[in-house]
Short mmCIF file of all heavy atoms in Angstrom, two decimals:
data_model
loop_
_atom_site.label_atom_id
_atom_site.label_comp_id
_atom_site.label_asym_id
_atom_site.label_seq_id
_atom_site.Cartn_x
_atom_site.Cartn_y
_atom_site.Cartn_z
N GLN A 703 -6.69 13.35 -14.34
CA GLN A 703 -5.52 13.38 -13.47
C GLN A 703 -5.39 14.67 -12.71
O GLN A 703 -5.98 15.75 -13.03
CB GLN A 703 -4.25 13.23 -14.23
CG GLN A 703 -4.14 11.89 -14.96
CD GLN A 703 -2.71 11.73 -15.65
OE1 GLN A 703 -1.85 12.37 -15.37
NE2 GLN A 703 -2.74 10.81 -16.51
N GLU A 704 -4.70 14.73 -11.53
CA GLU A 704 -4.66 15.95 -10.78
C GLU A 704 -3.78 16.99 -11.51
O GLU A 704 -2.69 16.69 -11.94
CB GLU A 704 -3.92 15.61 -9.49
CG GLU A 704 -4.76 15.10 -8.42
CD GLU A 704 -3.94 14.94 -7.12
OE1 GLU A 704 -2.92 14.22 -7.22
OE2 GLU A 704 -4.36 15.56 -6.10
N VAL A 705 -4.35 18.09 -11.69
CA VAL A 705 -3.56 19.28 -12.44
C VAL A 705 -2.56 19.69 -11.44
O VAL A 705 -1.54 20.24 -11.85
CB VAL A 705 -4.42 20.31 -13.06
CG1 VAL A 705 -5.28 20.93 -12.04
CG2 VAL A 705 -3.76 21.26 -13.93
N PHE A 706 -2.84 19.80 -10.13
CA PHE A 706 -1.92 20.32 -9.11
C PHE A 706 -1.40 21.74 -9.45
O PHE A 706 -0.19 22.00 -9.35
CB PHE A 706 -0.79 19.24 -8.85
CG PHE A 706 -0.73 18.89 -7.54
CD1 PHE A 706 -1.78 18.04 -6.95
CD2 PHE A 706 0.30 19.28 -6.77
CE1 PHE A 706 -1.69 17.74 -5.64
CE2 PHE A 706 0.37 18.86 -5.30
CZ PHE A 706 -0.53 18.03 -4.82
N GLY A 707 -2.29 22.55 -9.88
CA GLY A 707 -1.84 23.90 -10.25
C GLY A 707 -3.16 24.82 -10.23
O GLY A 707 -4.27 24.35 -9.99
N PRO A 708 -2.87 26.07 -10.50
CA PRO A 708 -4.02 27.04 -10.41
C PRO A 708 -5.02 27.02 -11.43
O PRO A 708 -5.24 28.17 -12.05
CB PRO A 708 -3.36 28.42 -10.07
CG PRO A 708 -2.05 28.20 -10.87
CD PRO A 708 -1.64 26.77 -10.67
N VAL A 709 -5.43 25.91 -11.89
CA VAL A 709 -6.26 25.92 -13.09
C VAL A 709 -7.57 25.12 -12.72
O VAL A 709 -7.65 24.08 -12.24
CB VAL A 709 -5.64 24.96 -14.19
CG1 VAL A 709 -6.57 24.79 -15.49
CG2 VAL A 709 -4.27 25.63 -14.56
N ALA A 710 -8.73 25.92 -12.92
CA ALA A 710 -10.02 25.35 -12.57
C ALA A 710 -10.78 24.89 -13.84
O ALA A 710 -11.27 25.69 -14.58
CB ALA A 710 -10.94 26.40 -11.92
N PRO A 711 -10.81 23.53 -14.02
CA PRO A 711 -11.63 22.99 -15.28
C PRO A 711 -13.09 22.90 -14.85
O PRO A 711 -13.53 22.31 -13.80
CB PRO A 711 -11.06 21.67 -15.36
CG PRO A 711 -9.90 21.43 -14.42
CD PRO A 711 -10.18 22.50 -13.36
N VAL A 712 -13.94 23.49 -15.69
CA VAL A 712 -15.39 23.53 -15.47
C VAL A 712 -16.16 22.58 -16.45
O VAL A 712 -15.94 22.70 -17.60
CB VAL A 712 -16.08 24.93 -15.41
CG1 VAL A 712 -17.49 24.98 -15.00
CG2 VAL A 712 -15.18 25.91 -14.65
N LEU A 713 -16.94 21.65 -15.92
CA LEU A 713 -17.70 20.65 -16.69
C LEU A 713 -19.11 20.91 -16.47
O LEU A 713 -19.62 21.41 -15.44
CB LEU A 713 -17.39 19.31 -16.29
CG LEU A 713 -16.05 18.62 -16.41
CD1 LEU A 713 -15.10 19.16 -15.47
CD2 LEU A 713 -16.06 17.08 -16.31
N ARG A 714 -19.91 20.80 -17.58
CA ARG A 714 -21.38 21.02 -17.51
C ARG A 714 -22.10 19.64 -17.36
O ARG A 714 -21.77 18.76 -18.00
CB ARG A 714 -21.74 21.76 -18.94
CG ARG A 714 -23.05 22.46 -18.80
CD ARG A 714 -23.47 22.82 -20.36
NE ARG A 714 -22.47 23.73 -20.93
CZ ARG A 714 -22.86 25.02 -21.20
NH1 ARG A 714 -23.92 25.52 -20.86
NH2 ARG A 714 -21.86 25.77 -21.68
N PHE A 715 -23.13 19.75 -16.51
CA PHE A 715 -23.98 18.50 -16.49
C PHE A 715 -25.51 18.74 -16.27
O PHE A 715 -25.77 19.96 -15.97
CB PHE A 715 -23.50 17.62 -15.16
CG PHE A 715 -24.01 18.13 -13.86
CD1 PHE A 715 -25.19 17.86 -13.28
CD2 PHE A 715 -23.00 19.03 -13.16
CE1 PHE A 715 -25.48 18.25 -11.90
CE2 PHE A 715 -23.41 19.52 -11.89
CZ PHE A 715 -24.65 19.21 -11.27
N LYS A 716 -26.31 17.82 -16.68
CA LYS A 716 -27.78 18.08 -16.59
C LYS A 716 -28.40 17.59 -15.42
O LYS A 716 -29.19 18.15 -14.84
CB LYS A 716 -28.33 17.23 -17.89
CG LYS A 716 -28.20 17.90 -19.27
CD LYS A 716 -29.13 17.24 -20.28
CE LYS A 716 -29.03 17.99 -21.60
NZ LYS A 716 -27.88 17.77 -22.38
N THR A 717 -28.15 16.24 -15.01
CA THR A 717 -29.00 15.71 -13.90
C THR A 717 -28.02 15.31 -12.86
O THR A 717 -26.86 15.14 -12.90
CB THR A 717 -29.67 14.40 -14.35
OG1 THR A 717 -28.72 13.48 -14.69
CG2 THR A 717 -30.49 14.65 -15.59
N GLU A 718 -28.63 15.08 -11.50
CA GLU A 718 -27.96 14.67 -10.45
C GLU A 718 -27.33 13.33 -10.64
O GLU A 718 -26.13 13.10 -10.29
CB GLU A 718 -28.95 14.62 -9.15
CG GLU A 718 -28.34 14.14 -7.88
CD GLU A 718 -29.38 14.10 -6.79
OE1 GLU A 718 -30.09 15.08 -6.58
OE2 GLU A 718 -29.46 12.94 -6.22
N GLU A 719 -27.99 12.39 -11.27
CA GLU A 719 -27.46 11.13 -11.61
C GLU A 719 -26.17 11.19 -12.44
O GLU A 719 -25.14 10.54 -12.27
CB GLU A 719 -28.52 10.15 -12.30
CG GLU A 719 -29.61 9.78 -11.64
CD GLU A 719 -30.62 10.92 -11.26
OE1 GLU A 719 -30.73 11.86 -12.17
OE2 GLU A 719 -31.24 10.90 -10.17
N GLU A 720 -26.29 12.01 -13.44
CA GLU A 720 -25.09 12.33 -14.40
C GLU A 720 -23.91 12.83 -13.50
O GLU A 720 -22.74 12.42 -13.73
CB GLU A 720 -25.50 13.31 -15.41
CG GLU A 720 -24.41 13.43 -16.48
CD GLU A 720 -24.66 14.61 -17.55
OE1 GLU A 720 -25.78 15.27 -17.27
OE2 GLU A 720 -23.84 14.85 -18.29
N ALA A 721 -24.16 13.76 -12.67
CA ALA A 721 -23.07 14.35 -11.86
C ALA A 721 -22.44 13.30 -11.08
O ALA A 721 -21.23 13.18 -10.90
CB ALA A 721 -23.65 15.47 -10.99
N ILE A 722 -23.21 12.46 -10.39
CA ILE A 722 -22.61 11.39 -9.56
C ILE A 722 -21.86 10.38 -10.33
O ILE A 722 -20.76 9.97 -9.90
CB ILE A 722 -23.70 10.67 -8.75
CG1 ILE A 722 -24.42 11.62 -7.74
CG2 ILE A 722 -23.20 9.39 -7.93
CD1 ILE A 722 -25.67 11.04 -7.20
N GLN A 723 -22.28 10.12 -11.51
CA GLN A 723 -21.63 9.13 -12.49
C GLN A 723 -20.33 9.76 -12.88
O GLN A 723 -19.26 9.10 -12.76
CB GLN A 723 -22.53 8.85 -13.68
CG GLN A 723 -22.07 7.80 -14.55
CD GLN A 723 -21.08 8.47 -15.59
OE1 GLN A 723 -21.23 9.50 -16.06
NE2 GLN A 723 -20.00 7.59 -15.90
N ILE A 724 -20.29 11.03 -13.25
CA ILE A 724 -19.06 11.70 -13.60
C ILE A 724 -18.12 11.75 -12.42
O ILE A 724 -16.85 11.42 -12.51
CB ILE A 724 -19.22 13.08 -14.20
CG1 ILE A 724 -20.02 13.06 -15.45
CG2 ILE A 724 -17.96 13.84 -14.49
CD1 ILE A 724 -20.46 14.42 -15.94
N ALA A 725 -18.65 12.22 -11.31
CA ALA A 725 -17.70 12.39 -10.06
C ALA A 725 -17.09 11.16 -9.68
O ALA A 725 -15.87 11.04 -9.34
CB ALA A 725 -18.61 12.85 -8.95
N ASN A 726 -17.80 10.00 -9.84
CA ASN A 726 -17.20 8.61 -9.43
C ASN A 726 -16.38 7.93 -10.50
O ASN A 726 -15.73 6.94 -10.23
CB ASN A 726 -18.40 7.66 -8.92
CG ASN A 726 -18.94 8.03 -7.57
OD1 ASN A 726 -18.32 8.77 -6.84
ND2 ASN A 726 -20.13 7.63 -7.29
N ASP A 727 -16.47 8.51 -11.66
CA ASP A 727 -15.72 7.87 -12.78
C ASP A 727 -14.14 8.24 -12.71
O ASP A 727 -13.63 8.85 -13.67
CB ASP A 727 -16.21 8.40 -14.09
CG ASP A 727 -15.69 7.74 -15.29
OD1 ASP A 727 -15.18 6.60 -15.10
OD2 ASP A 727 -15.88 8.31 -16.40
N THR A 728 -13.51 7.74 -11.71
CA THR A 728 -12.17 7.94 -11.47
C THR A 728 -11.68 6.89 -10.55
O THR A 728 -12.45 6.39 -9.73
CB THR A 728 -11.78 9.28 -11.01
OG1 THR A 728 -10.48 9.44 -10.55
CG2 THR A 728 -12.81 9.66 -9.89
N ASN A 729 -10.28 6.62 -10.57
CA ASN A 729 -9.71 5.74 -9.57
C ASN A 729 -9.45 6.32 -8.27
O ASN A 729 -9.07 5.72 -7.32
CB ASN A 729 -8.34 5.14 -10.20
CG ASN A 729 -8.55 4.12 -11.27
OD1 ASN A 729 -9.60 3.45 -11.23
ND2 ASN A 729 -7.70 4.06 -12.13
N ALA A 730 -9.53 7.63 -8.26
CA ALA A 730 -9.23 8.35 -7.04
C ALA A 730 -10.61 8.41 -6.24
O ALA A 730 -11.66 8.25 -6.71
CB ALA A 730 -8.74 9.68 -7.30
N GLY A 731 -10.47 8.71 -4.88
CA GLY A 731 -11.47 8.92 -4.07
C GLY A 731 -11.30 9.57 -2.69
O GLY A 731 -11.56 9.08 -1.70
N LEU A 732 -10.59 10.66 -2.71
CA LEU A 732 -10.21 11.43 -1.63
C LEU A 732 -11.26 12.36 -1.09
O LEU A 732 -12.05 12.08 -0.30
CB LEU A 732 -8.79 12.06 -1.82
CG LEU A 732 -8.15 12.66 -0.55
CD1 LEU A 732 -7.96 11.62 0.54
CD2 LEU A 732 -6.84 13.29 -0.91
N ALA A 733 -11.26 13.50 -1.75
CA ALA A 733 -12.33 14.52 -1.27
C ALA A 733 -13.19 14.92 -2.41
O ALA A 733 -12.81 14.87 -3.64
CB ALA A 733 -11.55 15.78 -0.78
N ALA A 734 -14.57 15.25 -2.07
CA ALA A 734 -15.50 15.66 -3.09
C ALA A 734 -16.25 16.86 -2.35
O ALA A 734 -16.36 16.87 -1.09
CB ALA A 734 -16.42 14.49 -3.39
N TYR A 735 -16.82 17.80 -3.17
CA TYR A 735 -17.62 18.92 -2.56
C TYR A 735 -18.88 18.95 -3.28
O TYR A 735 -18.95 18.76 -4.50
CB TYR A 735 -16.77 20.11 -2.74
CG TYR A 735 -15.42 20.14 -2.24
CD1 TYR A 735 -14.44 19.63 -3.02
CD2 TYR A 735 -15.11 20.36 -0.92
CE1 TYR A 735 -13.10 19.34 -2.46
CE2 TYR A 735 -13.84 20.28 -0.38
CZ TYR A 735 -12.79 19.72 -1.16
OH TYR A 735 -11.55 19.65 -0.65
N ILE A 736 -19.94 19.40 -2.53
CA ILE A 736 -21.14 19.65 -3.15
C ILE A 736 -21.78 20.82 -2.76
O ILE A 736 -21.66 21.25 -1.57
CB ILE A 736 -22.15 18.46 -3.17
CG1 ILE A 736 -22.56 18.11 -1.57
CG2 ILE A 736 -21.74 17.20 -3.79
CD1 ILE A 736 -23.55 17.05 -1.47
N PHE A 737 -22.46 21.60 -3.62
CA PHE A 737 -23.06 22.82 -3.24
C PHE A 737 -24.56 22.84 -3.64
O PHE A 737 -24.86 22.65 -4.81
CB PHE A 737 -22.37 23.97 -3.88
CG PHE A 737 -20.99 24.32 -3.24
CD1 PHE A 737 -19.85 23.59 -3.81
CD2 PHE A 737 -20.78 25.05 -2.22
CE1 PHE A 737 -18.65 23.70 -3.32
CE2 PHE A 737 -19.62 25.26 -1.61
CZ PHE A 737 -18.50 24.62 -2.21
N THR A 738 -25.41 22.70 -2.63
CA THR A 738 -26.89 22.69 -2.88
C THR A 738 -27.67 23.21 -1.65
O THR A 738 -27.03 23.24 -0.58
CB THR A 738 -27.25 21.23 -3.10
OG1 THR A 738 -28.71 21.17 -3.08
CG2 THR A 738 -26.81 20.26 -1.93
N ASN A 739 -28.82 23.72 -1.85
CA ASN A 739 -29.58 24.13 -0.74
C ASN A 739 -30.57 23.11 -0.24
O ASN A 739 -31.37 23.33 0.66
CB ASN A 739 -30.38 25.52 -1.00
CG ASN A 739 -29.43 26.59 -0.60
OD1 ASN A 739 -28.49 26.51 0.15
ND2 ASN A 739 -29.70 27.72 -1.13
N SER A 740 -30.67 21.93 -0.89
CA SER A 740 -31.56 20.85 -0.61
C SER A 740 -30.83 19.89 0.29
O SER A 740 -29.87 19.32 0.13
CB SER A 740 -32.00 20.19 -1.72
OG SER A 740 -32.41 18.93 -1.43
N ILE A 741 -31.49 19.76 1.51
CA ILE A 741 -30.99 18.85 2.62
C ILE A 741 -31.13 17.37 2.00
O ILE A 741 -30.06 16.68 2.29
CB ILE A 741 -31.89 18.97 3.91
CG1 ILE A 741 -31.50 20.39 4.52
CG2 ILE A 741 -31.41 17.85 4.92
CD1 ILE A 741 -32.19 20.65 5.68
N LYS A 742 -32.18 17.04 1.38
CA LYS A 742 -32.35 15.70 0.84
C LYS A 742 -31.31 15.38 -0.13
O LYS A 742 -30.67 14.32 -0.03
CB LYS A 742 -33.64 15.54 0.25
CG LYS A 742 -34.92 15.24 1.12
CD LYS A 742 -36.10 14.82 0.34
CE LYS A 742 -37.25 14.86 1.29
NZ LYS A 742 -38.56 14.64 0.51
N ARG A 743 -30.98 16.34 -0.97
CA ARG A 743 -29.93 16.09 -2.02
C ARG A 743 -28.64 15.97 -1.37
O ARG A 743 -27.73 15.21 -1.75
CB ARG A 743 -29.96 17.26 -3.02
CG ARG A 743 -28.90 17.10 -3.94
CD ARG A 743 -29.04 18.24 -5.15
NE ARG A 743 -29.68 17.61 -6.21
CZ ARG A 743 -30.37 18.46 -7.16
NH1 ARG A 743 -30.33 19.70 -7.03
NH2 ARG A 743 -31.01 17.76 -8.18
N SER A 744 -28.27 16.80 -0.30
CA SER A 744 -27.07 16.75 0.40
C SER A 744 -26.68 15.42 0.87
O SER A 744 -25.70 14.79 0.68
CB SER A 744 -27.07 17.55 1.62
OG SER A 744 -27.39 18.90 1.34
N TRP A 745 -27.74 14.71 1.53
CA TRP A 745 -27.56 13.33 1.99
C TRP A 745 -27.43 12.32 0.95
O TRP A 745 -26.53 11.51 0.83
CB TRP A 745 -28.81 12.85 2.78
CG TRP A 745 -28.69 13.42 4.31
CD1 TRP A 745 -29.28 14.31 4.99
CD2 TRP A 745 -27.71 12.93 5.25
NE1 TRP A 745 -28.93 14.62 6.20
CE2 TRP A 745 -27.85 13.63 6.37
CE3 TRP A 745 -26.76 12.00 5.23
CZ2 TRP A 745 -27.16 13.48 7.63
CZ3 TRP A 745 -25.85 11.81 6.40
CH2 TRP A 745 -26.08 12.46 7.55
N ARG A 746 -28.40 12.54 -0.09
CA ARG A 746 -28.39 11.47 -1.26
C ARG A 746 -27.08 11.50 -2.00
O ARG A 746 -26.50 10.40 -2.16
CB ARG A 746 -29.46 11.93 -2.14
CG ARG A 746 -30.29 10.83 -2.80
CD ARG A 746 -31.52 11.29 -3.58
NE ARG A 746 -31.34 12.56 -4.20
CZ ARG A 746 -32.29 13.66 -4.04
NH1 ARG A 746 -33.25 13.52 -3.15
NH2 ARG A 746 -32.05 14.76 -4.82
N VAL A 747 -26.50 12.79 -2.25
CA VAL A 747 -25.34 12.79 -3.09
C VAL A 747 -24.08 12.37 -2.18
O VAL A 747 -23.26 11.65 -2.52
CB VAL A 747 -25.20 14.07 -3.74
CG1 VAL A 747 -23.84 14.21 -4.54
CG2 VAL A 747 -26.44 14.39 -4.62
N SER A 748 -24.09 12.86 -0.92
CA SER A 748 -22.90 12.52 0.00
C SER A 748 -22.76 10.98 0.08
O SER A 748 -21.79 10.38 0.08
CB SER A 748 -23.16 13.06 1.37
OG SER A 748 -23.23 14.47 1.31
N GLU A 749 -23.99 10.37 0.18
CA GLU A 749 -23.98 8.81 0.29
C GLU A 749 -23.41 8.15 -1.04
O GLU A 749 -22.85 7.16 -0.91
CB GLU A 749 -25.23 8.38 0.82
CG GLU A 749 -25.61 8.57 2.24
CD GLU A 749 -26.86 8.35 2.67
OE1 GLU A 749 -27.63 7.73 2.03
OE2 GLU A 749 -27.33 8.63 3.96
N ALA A 750 -23.71 8.75 -2.10
CA ALA A 750 -23.55 8.07 -3.34
C ALA A 750 -22.01 8.33 -3.89
O ALA A 750 -21.53 7.53 -4.67
CB ALA A 750 -24.44 8.62 -4.38
N LEU A 751 -21.43 9.35 -3.20
CA LEU A 751 -20.04 9.66 -3.72
C LEU A 751 -19.15 8.68 -3.04
O LEU A 751 -19.06 8.33 -1.94
CB LEU A 751 -19.63 11.09 -3.36
CG LEU A 751 -20.39 12.20 -4.03
CD1 LEU A 751 -20.16 13.59 -3.43
CD2 LEU A 751 -19.93 12.27 -5.59
N GLU A 752 -18.24 8.13 -3.91
CA GLU A 752 -17.18 7.18 -3.51
C GLU A 752 -15.88 7.83 -3.11
O GLU A 752 -14.80 7.70 -3.79
CB GLU A 752 -16.95 6.12 -4.67
CG GLU A 752 -18.09 5.34 -5.08
CD GLU A 752 -17.99 4.70 -6.43
OE1 GLU A 752 -16.90 4.87 -7.05
OE2 GLU A 752 -18.94 3.98 -6.71
N TYR A 753 -16.06 8.67 -2.08
CA TYR A 753 -15.07 9.47 -1.50
C TYR A 753 -14.82 9.39 0.02
O TYR A 753 -15.90 9.22 0.78
CB TYR A 753 -15.36 10.99 -1.96
CG TYR A 753 -15.08 11.18 -3.44
CD1 TYR A 753 -15.93 10.81 -4.32
CD2 TYR A 753 -13.78 11.60 -3.91
CE1 TYR A 753 -15.74 10.98 -5.75
CE2 TYR A 753 -13.39 11.74 -5.13
CZ TYR A 753 -14.43 11.43 -6.12
OH TYR A 753 -14.22 11.52 -7.52
N GLY A 754 -13.70 9.49 0.48
CA GLY A 754 -13.46 9.50 2.04
C GLY A 754 -13.91 10.73 2.75
O GLY A 754 -14.09 10.63 3.91
N ILE A 755 -13.92 11.80 2.03
CA ILE A 755 -14.22 13.14 2.57
C ILE A 755 -15.21 13.95 1.65
O ILE A 755 -15.01 14.01 0.44
CB ILE A 755 -13.02 14.05 2.68
CG1 ILE A 755 -11.95 13.33 3.49
CG2 ILE A 755 -13.35 15.45 3.35
CD1 ILE A 755 -10.43 14.00 3.29
N VAL A 756 -16.45 14.32 2.20
CA VAL A 756 -17.36 15.18 1.49
C VAL A 756 -17.57 16.49 2.22
O VAL A 756 -17.99 16.62 3.35
CB VAL A 756 -18.74 14.44 1.20
CG1 VAL A 756 -19.65 15.21 0.48
CG2 VAL A 756 -18.49 13.03 0.61
N GLY A 757 -17.34 17.54 1.39
CA GLY A 757 -17.69 18.93 1.91
C GLY A 757 -19.00 19.28 1.38
O GLY A 757 -19.20 19.32 0.13
N VAL A 758 -19.97 19.62 2.19
CA VAL A 758 -21.24 20.10 1.73
C VAL A 758 -21.42 21.57 2.01
O VAL A 758 -21.44 22.07 3.21
CB VAL A 758 -22.46 19.27 2.39
CG1 VAL A 758 -23.84 19.85 1.92
CG2 VAL A 758 -22.32 17.86 2.20
N ASN A 759 -21.53 22.39 0.97
CA ASN A 759 -21.56 23.92 1.07
C ASN A 759 -20.34 24.36 1.74
O ASN A 759 -20.43 25.41 2.42
CB ASN A 759 -22.78 24.31 1.72
CG ASN A 759 -24.07 24.06 0.87
OD1 ASN A 759 -23.99 24.07 -0.36
ND2 ASN A 759 -25.17 23.67 1.63
N GLU A 760 -19.22 23.68 1.61
CA GLU A 760 -17.84 24.00 2.29
C GLU A 760 -16.71 23.62 1.62
O GLU A 760 -16.79 22.45 1.15
CB GLU A 760 -17.92 23.49 3.76
CG GLU A 760 -16.81 23.86 4.60
CD GLU A 760 -16.51 25.49 4.60
OE1 GLU A 760 -17.25 26.19 5.18
OE2 GLU A 760 -15.43 25.84 3.99
N GLY A 761 -15.75 24.46 1.36
CA GLY A 761 -14.64 24.11 0.50
C GLY A 761 -13.37 23.78 1.45
O GLY A 761 -12.43 23.18 0.84
N LEU A 762 -13.45 24.10 2.63
CA LEU A 762 -12.27 23.90 3.37
C LEU A 762 -12.66 22.93 4.47
O LEU A 762 -13.33 23.38 5.56
CB LEU A 762 -11.60 25.24 4.12
CG LEU A 762 -11.12 26.31 3.08
CD1 LEU A 762 -10.69 27.57 3.64
CD2 LEU A 762 -9.97 25.60 2.10
N VAL A 763 -12.31 21.67 4.46
CA VAL A 763 -12.86 20.78 5.47
C VAL A 763 -11.82 20.17 6.45
O VAL A 763 -12.28 19.44 7.38
CB VAL A 763 -13.62 19.58 4.69
CG1 VAL A 763 -14.94 20.15 3.92
CG2 VAL A 763 -12.67 18.95 3.68
N SER A 764 -10.54 20.29 6.23
CA SER A 764 -9.59 19.58 6.96
C SER A 764 -9.46 20.08 8.42
O SER A 764 -9.51 21.35 8.65
CB SER A 764 -8.13 19.79 6.30
OG SER A 764 -8.24 19.20 5.04
N THR A 765 -9.50 19.12 9.33
CA THR A 765 -9.32 19.47 10.73
C THR A 765 -8.77 18.33 11.47
O THR A 765 -9.04 17.19 11.12
CB THR A 765 -10.66 19.98 11.42
OG1 THR A 765 -10.53 19.75 12.85
CG2 THR A 765 -11.82 19.15 10.97
N GLU A 766 -7.93 18.56 12.57
CA GLU A 766 -7.37 17.61 13.28
C GLU A 766 -8.34 16.63 13.96
O GLU A 766 -8.07 15.43 14.25
CB GLU A 766 -6.45 18.19 14.33
CG GLU A 766 -7.04 18.60 15.63
CD GLU A 766 -7.58 20.01 15.48
OE1 GLU A 766 -7.56 20.63 14.34
OE2 GLU A 766 -7.93 20.60 16.51
N VAL A 767 -9.53 17.07 14.18
CA VAL A 767 -10.59 16.25 14.91
C VAL A 767 -11.35 15.30 13.94
O VAL A 767 -12.12 14.43 14.43
CB VAL A 767 -11.57 17.04 15.63
CG1 VAL A 767 -10.81 18.01 16.72
CG2 VAL A 767 -12.52 18.01 14.84
N ALA A 768 -11.21 15.46 12.65
CA ALA A 768 -11.90 14.51 11.71
C ALA A 768 -11.13 13.62 10.90
O ALA A 768 -9.92 13.97 10.57
CB ALA A 768 -12.64 15.50 10.73
#
Side-chain angles (χ1 to χ4, degrees):
Q703 297 184 20
E704 276 183 304
V705 64
F706 237 67
V709 178
V712 188
L713 293 75
R714 200 191 292 256
F715 71 90
K716 286 193 170 70
T717 64
E718 182 179 305
E719 293 68 32
E720 187 191 359
I722 294 168
Q723 187 274 324
I724 295 172
N726 287 340
D727 184 18
T728 166
N729 284 331
L732 188 55
Y735 307 89
I736 59 178
F737 291 89
T738 172
N739 270 340
S740 157
I741 292 179
K742 279 191 186 172
R743 172 173 272 161
S744 305
W745 276 109
R746 220 170 34 234
V747 179
S748 295
E749 287 173 5
L751 288 169
E752 296 162 356
Y753 287 82
I755 302 165
V756 180
V758 180
N759 294 324
E760 181 53 64
L762 300 175
V763 294
S764 300
T765 158
E766 77 281 9
V767 300

